[in-house]
């Protein structure tokens, strides 16, 4: 007892024992092997391996590889391997199970050679995109790992092997079609558009104005299609300023675009200047248009060297420009890498807070949130229209516009509203999911990869922490979105832009993630949700009020996992269910009563038969 | 002047004010300082009057409060920090309170601050007005902008003098007479006796001893303590002489499922000569024998081995292994005293420092070491609890005096193990038994909070650290505690400054001398009023019969924002959520309640 390390008291209580593994959504279990199998998923190989669990030590298991997942079931039960005396573990008397969609695999490496000594030193080391690594030891004889390595590489990185991504093979059927969730015309109509200042244009119908924009755009009524074409020449990748959101009352707007192509010589473009002035004039309440450049000032200046830049005061008299100091995708990637270093496999304990600080992750979160708050505040209280851009307008810009819209418009805080927000500001406006995530791609060191969308979801989580009643969805919803950001089971996050998705017929050939979620919404509902209209949320973006999303970033650590799912929500849902149950029973009894009253022949014993039945529930 | 007479006179004085005003400000027996209350007589004001006007006449160590009040009133504006609108009105200083009565057109109620809760005061004058910044013991920062330089200085001096009065019997609890409560209510908590009844049901190895009936054996223990049946009072008295402050080992908790016990004491006075005491050794032997034959014991010393050894030089020490067969010593050094107070001060400073560059916040938070102390406390408590539950061992906890970290460990260990202590009543009983009656010197420890400029003498936030640990437990086990954050916040506030008598004095002995029980109201009766329940109770509570083992890893421990950032963050969202939960739970109960009605209305054949 004296030797017991102080930090391994695991919580165990009723609260945790009530947490049971729920079978994964929509999955059929192959009973002979007890391996889950999706429709369209096919078995490729299986093999006996030793899984080197960073928490419990080596454990013998059988790994099943399909075209969708890597599934490991331990051959021994965990309790015999559990060396801690204070275990009280949720896995007790059950096999350890790993269920890893191949899409989350970022890198597969061989560890050890044919001659390496030491137990379990020969095998495979798998780096995942979702904050964990997997390590399997194999027998040294007969190149036993070569097959596994090749099979895994083929199916985890199908692009390099001219294989289809699993989403195109997935034959799952859901009773709702998630592709129907977002209809741009309907969403703009909800916002009250078009109106006499803003029109819907189909100029980009075949993506010839801008290949990374959606086909349908909302632009100022006074700007002709010809104007738009001329403005496009002055904006990086032709991403012209278009409307994202309009305030229902004061009619100020959030407009998004890419940087102007100012360059070293400080080029100007009359059409662009005029266009911005037209945008400004759609709102008569204020004399200036506010431009938020998401980048740090120096970066914006440096971008001039590559032809980019920002709107200068001289050229744009009626605009005010602010820099929001958010760093680029490379900085974010390195920051998240540092987070992984301190949480996986072992949590850096001795200087936890200063280690966390040195990753700067929360600081980046803070800057993104602060930027979005400024945008929202400008529109709502400052009554000024806002233009947001960064360099290309598909990373930081998407973060800022979508977060500001989430703060301003309570519609986006519902489950479907949030899906529409993601679909609109991220997917349709060309956040480069394929490049940032690297779906099915083996180049793990690709400099284009970056956790920009994860960072956005983290910001949403921070907001939901601060406003526990404002969001219809719960933490599980956000985690599910992130899981399927990588999984490649759904077509939702595939490809970089709408034009590519259209070419690949993604909506016809794949299933939408929203089908999964909307067909089983209860799992993702926040029981605290209180619907409010027109309330603007201003989260506190001070470092004091931000915290690391432990349930996501450290969820593989069993000591943390026990707090999942949130017992308060569990209990709350139980209470809600109980209430519904009561109301139902009540109605039934009342019905039975009225039936009896109207039908005197009913057996008098029926109440007593009914009552015990009722009581068994409570 | 007898009290009744002055009361009458005051009424006359108030009648002589503008018609329609009443004047409770004269409480401080200073008729000239009366201030007009133009606002309609709100219920709160009536309550205030009844509270302030009754009771004996306040004096401060022979000196009347009036002599300390330089000025009765001034026009002032009160800034209460973010979220609360500023308040304008007439400011009055009374014997125990600072009052702000808003002008006639104002709709808001009278604002009232207990002077005792002022931790530090800062005054600044400029032109013909002044500013007083009050930093309160509950970590609130208030700013008063006052018209007139003289008035500012006078009010500041009055507050300074009145907020630092040390006499217990002139403190506000001796005058506080709230409506709806009767004196003497809820003082019938006699925890040792009450708790003994429970122990006696579970085992007969223990008895209730009244060896300390007159507080002569141990001045910091209550009259009755629970001790091994096999040890007689004489032996206890001799063991007491061998323990610092007479705090001989007594039962703190009996863990029925394993039949083991948790004891607490102070350090043995072995001194440099390594003295021994046969009765003390016999007492601990009897503990093991009473548990079961061959039972083992652990002595959890809350000091490092080094510090325990050093204590011998000043007459203290620790149990020699040879003298206590069956007992094994474990050292778990915990921070106490001044370093703990400094940690608290640094944390509050960091939380209030809105200027500081935010990218250094986390390392600054770490540098405060407060969360490290939370971790130490929780893991030592886990160790003690684990020893009992898993190893079937008896545990004796002590540090040096046995009135601080010792109580922290024993009370937390009980919360971890004992489902009853996690109920509303059980927790109040735990605080009463393991802190108040067990002789935690509240008056010394809580004389100042984190803002005082005075050099700390005996101040230490041990009790706050306990509350923080309980909060962490509640956060990790949101359903297992019957009470919520509201109760913990209330206990924090009342421990530092309170209209109730519960946290007055340093020990039962002192409380008896001051007649606290008969002359003040108990906090428990205040808190247990039905109107308080919604704030204090956890609507989601379900009885959890198991031990709750907290995770003490640093990423599992959080800054208690509800306390440390309470006055700087907008409080609405979390309160809204709390209210929502209450609604759902009460809705559910209503539906549940209607169930029998339906079955009752079943037509009878």
């Amino acid at each position: 007892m004296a030797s017991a390390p102080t930090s391994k008291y695991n919580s165990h209580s009723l609260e945790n024992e009530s947490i049971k593994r729920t079978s994964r959504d929509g999955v059929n279990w192959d009973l002979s092997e007890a391996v889950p199998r999706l429709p369209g998923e096919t078995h490729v190989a299986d093999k006996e391996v030793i899984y080197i669990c960073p928490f419990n030590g080596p454990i013998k298991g059988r790994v099943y590889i399909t075209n969708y997942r890597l599934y490991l079931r331990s051959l021994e039960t965990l309790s015999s391997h559990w060396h801690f005396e204070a275990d009280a573990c949720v896995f007790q008397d059950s096999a350890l199970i790993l269920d890893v969609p191949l899409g989350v695999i970022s890198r597969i490496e061989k560890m050890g050679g044919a001659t390496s000594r030491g137990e379990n030193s020969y095998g495979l080391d798998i780096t995942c995109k979702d904050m964990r690594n997997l390590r399997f030891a194999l027998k040294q004889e007969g190149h036993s790992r070569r097959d596994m390595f090749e099979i895994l590489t083929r199916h985890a990185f199908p692009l390099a092997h001219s294989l289809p991504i699993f989403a195109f093979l997935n034959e799952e059927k859901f009773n709702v079609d998630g592709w129907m969730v977002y209809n741009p015309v309907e969403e703009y109509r909800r916002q009250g558009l078009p109106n006499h200042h803003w029109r819907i244009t189909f100029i980009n119908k075949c993506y010839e104005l801008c290949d990374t924009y959606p086909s349908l755009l909302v632009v100022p009524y006074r700007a002709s299609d010809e104007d738009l074409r001329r403005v496009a020449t002055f904006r990086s990748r032709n991403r012209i300023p278009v409307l994202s959101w309009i305030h229902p009352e004061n009619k100020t707007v959030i407009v998004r675009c890419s940087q102007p192509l100012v360059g070293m010589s400080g080029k100007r473009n009359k059409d662009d200047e005029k266009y911005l002035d037209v945008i400004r004039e759609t709102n008569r309440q204020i004399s200036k248009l506010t431009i938020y450049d998401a980048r740090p000032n120096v970066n914006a200046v440096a971008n001039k060297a590559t032809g980019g830049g920002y709107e200068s005061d001289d050229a744009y008299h009626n605009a005010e420009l602010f820099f929001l100091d958010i760093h680029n995708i490379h900085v974010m990637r390195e920051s998240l890498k540092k987070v992984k270093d301190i949480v996986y496999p072992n949590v850096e304990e001795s200087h936890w807070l200063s280690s966390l600080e040195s990753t700067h992750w929360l600081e980046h979160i803070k800057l993104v949130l602060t930027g979005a708050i400024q945008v929202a505040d400008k529109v709502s209280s400052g009554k000024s229209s806002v233009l947001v851009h960064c360099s290309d307008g598909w990373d930081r810009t998407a973060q800022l516009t979508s977060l500001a819209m989430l703060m301003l418009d309570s519609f986006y805080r519902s489950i479907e509203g949030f899906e529409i927000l993601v679909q609109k500001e991220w997917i349709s406006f060309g956040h480069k999911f394929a490049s940032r995530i690297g779906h099915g791609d083996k180049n793990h060191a690709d400099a284009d990869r970056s956790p920009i969308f994860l960072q956005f979801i983290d910001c949403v989580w921070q907001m939901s922490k601060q406003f526990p009643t404002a969001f219809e969805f719960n933490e599980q919803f956000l985690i599910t979105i992130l899981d399927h950001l990588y999984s490649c089971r759904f077509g939702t996050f595939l490809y970089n832009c709408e034009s590519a998705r259209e070419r690949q017929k993604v909506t016809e050939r794949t299933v939408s993630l929203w089908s999964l979620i909307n067909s089983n919404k209860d799992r993702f509902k926040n029981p605290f949700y209180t619907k409010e209209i027109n309330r603007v949320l201003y989260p506190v973006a001070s470092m004091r009020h931000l915290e690391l999303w432990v349930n996501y970033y450290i969820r593989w650590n069993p000591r943390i996992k026990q707090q999942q799912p949130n017992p308060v929500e569990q209990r709350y849902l139980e209470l809600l269910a109980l209430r519904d149950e009561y109301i139902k029973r009540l109605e039934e009894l009342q019905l039975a009563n009225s039936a009896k009253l109207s039908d005197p022949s009913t057996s008098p014993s029926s109440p007593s038969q009914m009552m015990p039945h009722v009581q068994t529930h409570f | 002047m007898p009290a009744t007479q002055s009361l009458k006179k005051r009424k006359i004085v108030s009648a002589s004010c503008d018609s329609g005003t009443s004047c409770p400000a004269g409480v401080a027996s200073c008729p000239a300082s009366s201030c007009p209350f133009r606002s309609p007589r709100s219920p709160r004001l009536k309550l205030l009057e009844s509270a302030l006007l009754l009771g004996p006449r306040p004096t401060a160590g022979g000196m009347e409060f009036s002599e300390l009040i330089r000025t009765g009133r001034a026009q002032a504006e009160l800034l209460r920090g973010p979220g609360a609108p500023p308040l304008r009105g007439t400011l009055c200083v009374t014997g125990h309170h600072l009052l702000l009565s808003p002008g006639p057109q104002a709709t808001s109620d009278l604002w009232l601050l207990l002077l005792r809760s002022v931790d530090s005061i800062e005054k600044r004058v400029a032109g013909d007005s002044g500013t007083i910044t009050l930093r309160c013991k509950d970590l609130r920062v208030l700013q008063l902008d006052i018209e007139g330089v003289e008035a500012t200085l006078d009010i500041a001096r009055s507050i300074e003098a009145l907020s630092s009065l040390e006499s217990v019997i002139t403190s506000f609890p001796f005058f506080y007479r709230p409506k709806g409560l009767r004196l003497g209510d809820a003082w019938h908590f006699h925890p040792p006796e009450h708790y003994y009844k429970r122990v006696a049901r579970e085992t007969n190895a223990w008895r209730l001893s009244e060896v300390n009936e007159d507080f002569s054996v141990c001045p910091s223990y209550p009259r009755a303590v629970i001790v091994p049946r096999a040890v007689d009072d004489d032996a206890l008295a001799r063991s007491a002489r061998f323990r610092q402050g007479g705090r001989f080992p007594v039962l703190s908790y009996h863990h029925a499922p394993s039949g083991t016990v948790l004891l607490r004491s102070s350090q043995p006075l072995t001194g440099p000569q390594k003295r021994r005491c046969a009765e003390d050794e016999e007492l601990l032997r009897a503990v093991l024998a009473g548990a079961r034959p061959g039972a083992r014991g652990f002595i959890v010393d809350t000091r490092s081995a080094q510090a325990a050894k050093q204590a011998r030089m000043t007459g203290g020490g620790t149990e020699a292994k040879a003298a206590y067969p069956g007992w094994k010593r474990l050292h778990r050094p915990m921070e106490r005293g001044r370093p703990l107070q400094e940690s608290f001060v640094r944390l509050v400073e960091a939380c209030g420092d809105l200027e500081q560059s935010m990218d250094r916040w986390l390392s600054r938070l770490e540098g405060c070491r407060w969360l490290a102390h939370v971790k130490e406390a929780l893991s030592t408590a886990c160790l003690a609890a684990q020893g009992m539950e898993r190893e079937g061992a008896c545990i004796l906890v002590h540090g040096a005096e046995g009135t601080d970290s010792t109580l922290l460990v024993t009370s937390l260990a009980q919360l971890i193990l004992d489902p009853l202590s996690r109920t509303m009543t059980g927790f109040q009983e735990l605080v009463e038994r393991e802190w108040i009656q067990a002789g935690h010197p509240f008056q010394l420890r809580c004389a100042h909070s984190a803002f005082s400029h005075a050099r700390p003498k005996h101040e230490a936030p041990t009790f706050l650290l306990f509350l923080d640990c309980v909060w962490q437990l509640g956060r990790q086990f949101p359903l297992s505690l019957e009470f919520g954050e509201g109760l913990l916040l209330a206990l924090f506030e009342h421990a530092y400054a309170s209209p109730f008598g519960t946290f007055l004095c340093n020990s039962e002995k002192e409380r008896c001398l001051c007649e606290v029980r008969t002359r003040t109201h108990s906090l428990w009766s205040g808190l247990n009023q039905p109107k308080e329940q919604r704030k204090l109770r956890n609507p989601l509570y379900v009885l959890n019969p198991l031990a709750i083992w907290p995770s003490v890893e640093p990423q599992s421990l959080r800054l208690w924002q509800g306390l440390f950032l309470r006055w700087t963050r907008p409080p609405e969202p979390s309160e809204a959520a709390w209210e929502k939960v209450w609604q759902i739970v009460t809705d559910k109960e209503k539906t549940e309640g209607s169930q029998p009605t339906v079955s009752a209305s079943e037509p009878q054949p």
Side-chain angles (χ1 to χ4, degrees), chain B residues 414-481:
Chain B
Q414 290 179 55
L415 271 171
I416 292 169
L417 291 176
D418 181 13
L420 281 180
S421 71
R422 296 177 221 137
T423 62
M424 192 72 168
T425 0
F427 184 69
Q428 292 179 5
E429 219 176 284
L430 183 78
V431 170
E432 177 77 34
R433 185 163 50 85
E434 286 296 290
W435 287 90
I436 298 168
Q437 306 247 348
H440 177 66
F442 278 99
Q443 199 188 334
L444 291 173
R445 299 290 180 259
C446 303
H448 281 291
S449 165
F451 293 122
S452 170
H453 302 302
R455 209 175 148 71
K457 290 190 290 264
H458 304 287
E459 288 83 354
T462 324
F463 186 62
L464 171 60
L465 185 57
F466 164 70
L467 296 175
D468 197 331
C469 292
V470 178
W471 179 82
Q472 307 279 352
L473 280 172
R475 202 189 69 82
Q476 293 187 20
F477 300 90
L479 312 182
S480 296
L481 306 183

Side-chain angles (χ1 to χ4, degrees), chain B residues 169-459:
Chain B
I169 52 163
T170 58
S171 64
F172 184 60
F174 286 85
F175 306 97
Y176 181 52
R177 298 293 175 264
K179 275 233 176 76
L181 295 184
R182 278 208 328 263
L183 268 185
D185 272 2
W187 284 114
H188 58 259
F189 271 138
H190 293 303
E193 292 85 342
H194 190 256
Y195 185 64
Y196 176 69
K197 279 191 200 135
R198 184 177 151 196
V199 175
R201 278 198 300 273
E202 295 163 350
T203 165
N204 59 4
W206 295 82
R207 69 186 182 90
L208 196 66
S209 165
E210 298 197 339
V211 65
N212 201 36
E213 176 69 47
D214 55 357
F215 304 111
S216 60
V217 173
C218 172
S220 61
Y221 272 173
R223 292 179 196 272
V225 289
I226 306 171
V227 295
R229 189 170 290 281
V231 179
D232 64 23
D233 282 359
D234 283 348
L236 294 177
R238 267 193 286 272
S239 165
R241 282 200 288 277
F242 183 62
R243 296 275 174 179
Q244 184 177 2
R247 295 176 70 92
F248 55 91
V250 295
L251 180 122
S252 158
Y253 170 59
H254 178 248
H255 186 243
S258 68
T260 56
V261 291
L262 181 64
L263 306 165
R264 52 179 161 75
S265 70
S266 61
Q267 64 177 339
L269 300 173
T270 54
Q273 292 88 32
K274 300 191 184 173
R275 276 187 299 135
R276 292 174 56 169
C277 169
E279 288 80 4
D280 192 74
E281 291 163 20
E282 176 50 35
L283 199 164
L284 288 189
R285 200 163 30 245
V287 169
L288 294 187
R292 70 167 180 276
R296 289 182 306 150
F298 289 101
I299 297 171
V300 177
D301 192 323
T302 62
R303 302 163 296 179
S304 67
Q306 179 69 13
K309 213 175 197 175
Q310 264 171 5
R312 283 217 297 266
M313 303 313 294
T314 49
T318 188
E319 291 81 356
K321 203 172 177 187
Y324 297 88
W327 289 89
K328 192 179 166 210
R329 225 172 50 227
L330 302 170
H331 291 277
R332 283 289 177 276
M334 288 168 69
E335 205 59 89
R336 64 197 76 220
R338 187 171 296 168
L340 193 61
Q341 176 73 10
E342 281 164 1
S343 166
F344 175 41
V345 170
R346 276 201 305 273
L347 177 61
V348 169
E349 225 172 67
C351 291
D353 182 1
L354 299 172
E355 307 293 305
Q356 88 142 56
S357 104
M358 270 302 146
D359 52 338
R360 305 297 300 160
W361 162 251
L362 289 175
S363 48
R364 185 158 176 198
L365 179 60
E366 186 173 275
C368 296
R369 304 221 8 98
W370 181 260
L371 288 173
H373 302 320
V374 169
K375 180 189 159 107
E376 271 164 19
L378 277 174
S379 39
T380 311
C382 281
L383 180 80
Q386 193 191 31
M388 299 170 73
E389 208 221 16
R390 300 259 161 86
E391 314 268 326
C394 296
I395 306 283
L396 167 65
V397 184
H398 71 70
E401 293 160 310
T403 54
D404 291 275
S405 52
T406 305
L407 306 180
L408 187 57
V409 173
T410 58
S411 52
L412 285 174
Q414 290 179 55
L415 271 171
I416 292 169
L417 291 176
D418 181 13
L420 281 180
S421 71
R422 296 177 221 137
T423 62
M424 192 72 168
T425 0
F427 184 69
Q428 292 179 5
E429 219 176 284
L430 183 78
V431 170
E432 177 77 34
R433 185 163 50 85
E434 286 296 290
W435 287 90
I436 298 168
Q437 306 247 348
H440 177 66
F442 278 99
Q443 199 188 334
L444 291 173
R445 299 290 180 259
C446 303
H448 281 291
S449 165
F451 293 122
S452 170
H453 302 302
R455 209 175 148 71
K457 290 190 290 264
H458 304 287
E459 288 83 354

Side-chain angles (χ1 to χ4, degrees), chain A residues 537-551:
Chain A
L537 300 186
Y538 293 114
V540 184
S542 137
M543 282 298 282
R544 289 188 180 89
H545 293 89
L546 300 179
E547 43 181 281
L548 186 75
W549 187 6
V550 167
N551 284 344

Side-chain angles (χ1 to χ4, degrees), chain A residues 2 6 9-13 15 347 349 351 353-354 357 466 543-544 547 559 568 571 576 579 582 593, chain B residues 350 353 358-360 362-363 366 477-480 540 547 549-550 552-553 555 558 561 573 587 592 602:
Chain A
T6 52
Y9 297 98
N10 288 285
S11 29
H12 75 129
S13 71
E15 295 182 352
V347 175
E349 282 194 18
H351 293 285
L353 292 174
S354 37
E357 184 175 88
Q466 292 189 21
M543 282 298 282
R544 289 188 180 89
E547 43 181 281
R559 286 172 208 154
V568 174
R571 168 89 176 125
L576 283 174
R579 183 177 65 172
Y582 269 118
N593 272 346
Chain B
D353 182 1
M358 270 302 146
D359 52 338
R360 305 297 300 160
L362 289 175
S363 48
E366 186 173 275
F477 300 90
L479 312 182
S480 296
L540 295 173
W549 299 106
V552 297
E553 273 132 308
Q555 70 279 3
R558 296 288 148 79
Q561 294 193 344
D587 273 7
E592 216 165 351
E602 293 286 343

